[in-house]
């Protein structure tokens, strides 16, 4: 998706594997930025390509680390569906594997065009080209995810509101 095409994209879905660590955190970070900015007319949600944790709240470690930054994560895990490609303007994958899985279920070339990597919104100086899965990591893994998402979602916000 070109920079021009990003403008005015208001329905945003974040996707990771489990939908209990990275994507619900991205959803929480993005919603907090929208609230802080008083931005209206957005739909923000998250989903997982896997189905291991359906119905569950985010991982307790992610909730603890997010809460320290003033974010309450209350999303309940769900699996991404083909209908999401109609319901959202942009589907943001956290890593290459998420993006490959999304491409595999995209129902049309137009739908596939909605898939974007979260790393597209990292600062140019970022040391990462994806959001690393923190599930088998320690506290620093969760902090890194939140650092990357806070930077990336701020840039995403600026891209969609044309700043
Ligand atoms: P997420 O992390 O994709 O950021 O939600 C994971 C959560 C659970 C599993 C893997 C990754 N799992 O294998 O259960």
């Amino acid at each position: 998706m070109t920079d021009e095409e990003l403008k005015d994209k208001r329905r945003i879905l974040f996707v990771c594997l489990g939908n209990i660590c990275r994507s619900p955190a991205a959803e929480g970070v993005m919603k907090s930025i929208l609230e802080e900015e008083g931005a209206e007319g957005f739909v923000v949600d998250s989903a997982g390509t896997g189905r291991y944790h359906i119905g569950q709240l985010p991982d307790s470690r992610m909730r603890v680390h997010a809460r320290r930054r003033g974010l309450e994560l209350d999303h309940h895990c769900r699996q991404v569906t083909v209908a999401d490609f109609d319901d959202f303007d942009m589907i943001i994958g956290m890593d290459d594997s998420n993006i490959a899985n999304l491409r595999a279920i995209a129902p049309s070339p137009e739908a596939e065009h909605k898939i974007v990597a979260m790393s597209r919104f990292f600062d140019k100086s970022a040391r990462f080209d994806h959001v690393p899965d923190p599930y088998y990591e320690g506290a620093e893994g969760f902090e890194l995810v939140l650092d990357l998402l806070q930077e990336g979602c701020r840039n995403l916000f600026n891209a969609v509101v044309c700043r």
Side-chain angles (χ1 to χ4, degrees):
M1 209 180 280
T2 63
D3 289 354
E4 193 59 34
E5 286 172 320
L6 287 173
K7 291 179 183 170
D8 291 323
K9 294 283 183 280
R10 292 286 195 267
R11 301 177 300 166
I12 301 168
L13 181 68
F14 294 101
V15 172
C16 61
L17 170 60
N19 191 215
I20 55 167
C21 297
R22 292 166 291 174
S23 62
E27 176 191 337
V29 168
M30 192 64 189
K31 284 179 172 171
S32 79
I33 291 171
L34 293 170
E35 195 180 321
E36 197 179 296
E37 297 286 342
E40 289 177 354
F42 283 83
V43 177
V44 178
D45 194 8
S46 65
T49 59
R51 42 179 302 112
Y52 323 105
H53 301 281
I54 290 176
Q56 294 176 16
L57 279 169
D59 186 285
S60 57
R61 297 166 295 173
M62 183 49 92
R63 285 163 61 208
V64 165
H65 286 277
R67 193 173 294 131
R68 287 189 197 149
R69 301 186 189 210
L71 302 167
E72 282 300 325
L73 304 183
D74 58 1
H75 175 80
H76 287 266
C77 174
R78 73 173 181 89
Q79 192 172 30
V80 68
T81 68
V82 172
D84 286 321
F85 286 89
D86 283 330
D87 294 343
F88 293 91
D89 303 316
M90 200 187 318
I91 302 187
I92 302 180
M94 297 294 133
D95 64 28
D96 289 348
S97 161
N98 308 148
I99 287 168
N101 287 326
L102 285 166
R103 289 216 171 104
I105 62 159
S108 66
E110 294 73 29
E112 192 169 340
H113 193 64
K114 294 183 175 183
I115 302 167
V116 180
M118 188 70 222
S119 59
R120 187 184 195 292
F121 303 103
F122 292 171
D123 289 345
K124 295 270 180 294
S125 59
R127 289 177 300 132
F128 291 86
D129 63 1
H130 65 289
V131 184
D133 185 349
Y135 194 63
Y136 297 105
E137 303 296 329
E140 62 291 350
F142 288 86
E143 287 297 311
L144 171 64
V145 167
L146 288 164
D147 286 345
L148 291 171
L149 292 175
Q150 285 186 314
E151 170 184 305
C153 286
R154 173 56 64 179
N155 293 334
L156 167 62
F157 174 76
N158 289 341
V160 296
V161 300
C162 330
R163 281 200 177 165

